[in-house]
Amino acid sequence: MLVFSSLQCYTTCMQTIYLSHLHDQAFRAKFHQKQLACDQLVTLTGRTSIPLEGPWRLCPDQYDTCLRAGWYAYTGKETTPVDCDFEFWKEVIVPSVWNTEHEPWEYYEGSMLYRTEFASSQKEGTRTFLVFEGVANRAYVFLNGIYLGFHEGASTPFSVEITASLQDRNTLLVCANNTRSVSSVPSENTDWFNYGGIYRQVHLMQVPPSFIRHWYVRLLDAHTLGIDIELSGIHDSVQVVCKELGLSLLLAVHDHTASVQVPFTGQVWGIENPKRYTFCLQYGQDRVEDTIGLRTIACRGNQILLNEKPIFLRGVCLHEDHPDFGRYVNENLVRRSLEDAKLLGCNCIRLSHYPHHRYMAEIADELGMLLWEELPVYWAIAFSDPAVLADAKNQLSELILRDRNRCSVIIWSVGNENPDTDERLAFMSSLASLARSLDPSRLVGAACLVNEHTLCIQDRLEACLDVIGLNEYYGWYDPDMGKLKILLEHSLKDKPVLITEFGAGAKAGFHDAEAALFSEERQALFYKQQFVLLLGSPTVSGTFPWLLYDFRSPRRMNKYQGGYNRKGLIDQSRRHKKLAYATVQTEYRRFKEQGR
Ligand code: GCU
């Protein structure tokens, strides 16, 4: 308790305290000491939870005054003047990106304060977690004025236990910051729009004192089912039941884990027959269940094998971007994009260039669609910065923990079109190793580089990968389509090569008999010429046109683009299928009829 000998002394002291935070240039450092990372993540899937969605109060905080001056600690009963007034803030529905919710915020980059209140009753012994499915691009979380921690990464989930901080009435304040930076993942330069906000669901999740933290079910081979469970608590056994497989196992718990391998005689999951089984786990009072498809994925030479049979990936690329909702998606939008891809004749989608909403893999499991999931290690990254590598590893771990029970996911991609330096090789090979250690059952890929002099795929990263991605734009950025033929002849590898991007821009509705640049005719002609070379090449094990829908990108500002990358086969409204859509559809149908 401060005691002042005079008013002058009091005033000086108050000014000193008031001025102190104005001079603190390192204010953010103290918040970064408390990271909410993958080691705190608790699996949401299969649990009931209370969604904290609906109207929250938002306020832009361009100078981070909340973090600097401690607005998060205000109670509204202050006797000295404060510079924020929560009731005055704008009401916005969460989850959403702020860019689409208020015209003046469309291009806002910086910190946005989110505030909501909620009541909570906590049964004796129950443990309560806040679970965030996605906050772009980083989040500082405060509950009842207490700082809970900081999460880096726009596209992966994070959680934090709040058992000790919970009250009957609670105030949750989140500072969401989407400022791009050379030392984030992705860095400051990308070919997509930098949305911001609490754009995926926030949940209040209650679990018993002893609970199931994570669990993983998959085929180790065509005849063996593997189950690994991570637990938090005191019980010495955990039950696993799958009635349809006739499984009822009581597994002993050692050091908070339990594992088992059992023979598998059921039906494998496949694209034509997405068969799934319901697994139920019981650990003390905790019970979770999930519906899981069981399949194998592997490589043999330059072939990809799904359930031990060669499969050609008839793919397409997809961004998470909508003209009305930005990066926010709901189940209907996700289901619609999967149906558009199926209608195109696809059996695989490359989820560019960051983890999409969990709905995507959940619905792909249901519909029978394979997925390439990717970490936003995109273009130039601060590859020599250990903190950036730690960030990338954490995002990869959170993605794998979230989706590893999703059989539709067959490839973890550790990056896209990165410069070939020693630092990049070390950075991405360590990500590839991490992916394999967390999940040996899937393939690891990345979009690799081409030696433009010898016209051959040539990337030191190839040695770390199971599948080699190649993004090529011959016939668009490089007018000489003949180079593609030479490149394919020079690039026959002992691993599958996937053409992970190829595309041309077209403004929907712009038609030109001479197939001028950005006409629909030009885009269709591009694909006709590309598929003649790609679908006949022994080098190629899969093709992924770039991409299904036009998407927003501040780098695309010519008169046809108007702030959109126009390489979509469908325009951003998702209603206008361009001529090239039918071209790709015809080629994929022909290819499928030939049994590839
Ligand atoms: C690159 C990049 C994409 C980009 C595309 C394009 O290959 O991977 O993110 O949008 O080219 O130029 O349209």
Side-chain angles (χ1 to χ4, degrees):
M1 167 74 169
L2 285 173
V3 179
F4 299 98
S5 56
S6 71
L7 181 59
Q8 174 59 34
C9 183
Y10 170 82
T11 308
T12 308
C13 189
M14 279 297 111
Q15 278 177 346
T16 309
I17 292 175
Y18 178 73
L19 284 173
S20 65
H21 73 69
L22 298 178
H23 303 152
D24 179 3
Q25 292 290 71
F27 72 95
R28 212 180 286 277
K30 65 177 177 290
F31 294 105
H32 287 184
Q33 287 162 15
K34 199 170 188 182
Q35 187 172 6
L36 304 177
C38 59
D39 58 336
Q40 297 178 65
L41 190 60
V42 180
T43 294
L44 177 74
T45 308
R47 288 192 181 285
T48 53
S49 63
I50 302 162
L52 297 182
E53 56 193 16
W56 289 41
R57 296 274 185 186
L58 271 63
C59 177
D61 182 9
Q62 273 185 293
Y63 296 163
D64 280 306
T65 312
C66 174
L67 298 183
R68 293 172 189 271
W71 288 0
Y72 48 84
Y74 289 173
T75 60
K77 301 183 181 70
E78 283 67 31
T79 52
T80 52
V82 296
D83 296 319
C84 70
D85 190 344
F86 304 135
E87 286 63 41
F88 173 72
W89 293 3
K90 181 173 181 54
E91 262 200 357
V92 172
I93 300 299
V94 169
S96 61
V97 290
W98 66 65
N99 317 79
T100 57
E101 298 312 296
H102 186 40
E103 181 77 25
W105 296 348
E106 180 177 2
Y107 288 97
Y108 176 64
E109 280 198 9
S111 290
M112 181 71 78
L113 303 178
Y114 284 75
R115 186 179 183 278
T116 190
E117 298 183 1
F118 64 91
S120 172
S121 59
Q122 191 170 239
K123 289 199 298 287
E124 184 58 32
T126 302
R127 297 175 67 173
T128 304
F129 289 81
L130 271 177
V131 182
F132 293 83
E133 296 204 52
V135 181
N137 293 333
R138 56 194 64 80
Y140 303 82
V141 184
F142 302 85
L143 183 71
N144 302 325
I146 299 161
Y147 179 53
L148 298 179
F150 152 81
H151 182 263
E152 179 70 34
S155 310
T156 49
F158 60 98
S159 48
V160 58
E161 183 164 6
I162 56 171
T163 307
S165 326
L166 211 55
Q167 297 166 6
D168 293 344
R169 290 286 313 157
N170 300 274
T171 298
L172 175 59
L173 186 139
V174 179
C175 170
N177 175 283
N178 77 330
T179 306
R180 290 163 296 117
S181 133
V182 289
S183 55
S184 55
V185 177
S187 71
E188 58 179 0
N189 184 31
T190 68
D191 191 21
W192 65 84
F193 192 88
N194 180 45
Y195 294 104
I198 303 180
Y199 75 104
R200 292 179 183 162
Q201 288 81 348
V202 183
H203 306 263
L204 204 57
M205 190 175 76
Q206 298 191 327
V207 296
S210 295
F211 65 97
I212 298 155
R213 186 173 284 276
H214 295 294
W215 53 301
Y216 182 19
V217 179
R218 75 283 184 201
L219 288 185
L220 301 174
D221 59 45
H223 310 292
T224 313
L225 178 68
I227 302 173
D228 292 296
I229 307 166
E230 293 166 47
L231 304 148
S232 175
I234 55 166
H235 305 303
D236 53 14
S237 65
V238 55
Q239 190 184 35
V240 180
V241 174
C242 175
K243 289 195 177 108
E244 204 176 347
L245 284 174
L247 278 187
S248 179
L249 308 165
L250 192 60
L251 306 182
V253 176
H254 302 292
D255 191 20
H256 296 101
T257 63
S259 292
V260 71
Q261 295 184 13
V262 294
F264 174 70
T265 56
Q267 261 187 294
V268 289
W269 177 92
I271 292 159
E272 304 305 330
N273 174 25
K275 169 68 182 169
R276 296 179 295 161
Y277 292 93
T278 298
F279 286 80
C280 210
L281 274 64
Q282 186 83 40
Y283 177 61
Q285 301 164 315
D286 196 21
R287 181 185 184 282
V288 289
E289 71 172 52
D290 195 357
T291 304
I292 296 173
L294 300 165
R295 53 105 188 100
T296 61
I297 193 76
C299 294
R300 183 177 57 214
N302 75 345
Q303 289 186 316
I304 293 176
L305 306 179
L306 175 65
N307 297 321
E308 302 179 303
K309 294 190 187 70
I311 183 168
F312 183 91
L313 300 184
R314 301 188 306 276
V316 74
C317 296
L318 177 69
H319 256 300
E320 207 170 49
D321 184 274
H322 190 282
D324 302 328
F325 309 111
R327 273 202 68 184
Y328 164 80
V329 292
N330 58 35
E331 287 190 65
N332 291 337
L333 285 171
V334 171
R335 189 174 292 276
R336 173 66 190 279
S337 52
L338 279 157
E339 286 163 354
D340 278 344
K342 271 214 179 260
L343 268 174
L344 185 61
C346 297
N347 59 16
C348 189
I349 299 178
R350 177 182 177 216
L351 302 182
S352 326
H353 285 290
Y354 37 74
H356 288 212
H357 196 291
R358 65 178 160 83
Y359 291 149
M360 179 57 77
E362 290 171 359
I363 302 171
D365 279 9
E366 175 199 334
L367 299 181
M369 178 69 75
L370 299 170
L371 298 176
W372 161 303
E373 291 204 331
E374 185 157 298
L375 208 54
V377 175
Y378 181 89
W379 291 351
I381 295 282
F383 289 114
S384 51
D385 183 337
V388 175
L389 177 57
D391 172 15
K393 285 184 168 180
N394 184 61
Q395 291 189 46
L396 179 60
S397 304
E398 289 171 341
L399 169 62
I400 292 176
L401 282 171
R402 186 193 76 175
D403 284 359
R404 62 186 179 177
N405 274 345
R406 305 278 68 86
C407 59
S408 50
V409 180
I410 57 169
I411 295 167
W412 303 120
S413 167
V414 294
N416 179 72
E417 286 186 356
N418 312 96
D420 185 8
T421 62
D422 294 345
E423 295 80 7
R424 169 262 193 168
L425 183 61
F427 188 102
M428 292 179 74
S429 53
S430 71
L431 289 178
S433 307
L434 176 63
R436 287 200 182 88
S437 68
L438 289 173
D439 175 21
S441 83
R442 287 179 172 86
L443 307 176
V444 177
C448 295
L449 302 169
V450 168
N451 180 324
E452 288 298 344
H453 303 295
T454 60
L455 284 178
C456 174
I457 298 174
Q458 191 178 324
D459 190 324
R460 293 181 289 170
L461 189 63
E462 291 175 48
C464 313
L465 304 177
D466 299 305
V467 296
I468 298 166
L470 166 63
N471 298 350
E472 53 88 6
Y473 287 90
Y474 299 105
W476 181 252
Y477 293 124
D478 182 327
D480 184 354
M481 189 74 92
K483 288 180 181 176
L484 177 57
K485 188 170 186 308
I486 300 166
L487 172 68
L488 293 172
E489 287 162 1
H490 289 177
S491 301
L492 187 58
K493 304 275 183 179
D494 61 356
K495 295 178 180 176
V497 170
L498 302 176
I499 309 299
T500 37
E501 283 182 38
F502 59 112
K507 174 91 169 82
F510 170 39
H511 294 283
D512 180 87
E514 305 305 314
L517 273 179
F518 286 99
S519 67
E520 289 198 29
E521 286 75 11
R522 179 62 169 266
Q523 188 188 40
L525 177 62
F526 167 87
Y527 278 107
K528 282 193 181 72
Q529 293 169 338
Q530 280 271 345
F531 274 113
V532 167
L533 296 169
L534 295 179
L535 296 189
S537 164
T539 300
V540 177
S541 299
T543 53
F544 293 78
W546 182 261
L547 77 171
L548 191 57
Y549 305 122
D550 291 351
F551 64 97
R552 289 190 73 181
S553 168
R555 297 176 67 248
R556 308 296 179 165
M557 300 308 281
N558 76 26
K559 62 184 178 182
Y560 302 105
Q561 298 165 323
Y564 278 83
N565 184 312
R566 295 287 183 200
K567 296 189 184 69
L569 298 172
I570 304 173
D571 78 336
Q572 76 271 17
S573 77
R574 311 201 165 178
R575 288 191 293 273
H576 183 114
K577 289 190 167 86
K578 303 174 192 173
L579 292 176
Y581 181 93
T583 305
V584 175
Q585 191 178 47
T586 303
E587 293 297 342
Y588 275 174
R589 190 175 294 135
R590 183 165 64 83
F591 217 66
K592 195 178 170 187
E593 282 157 6
Q594 289 173 10
R596 287 190 75 175

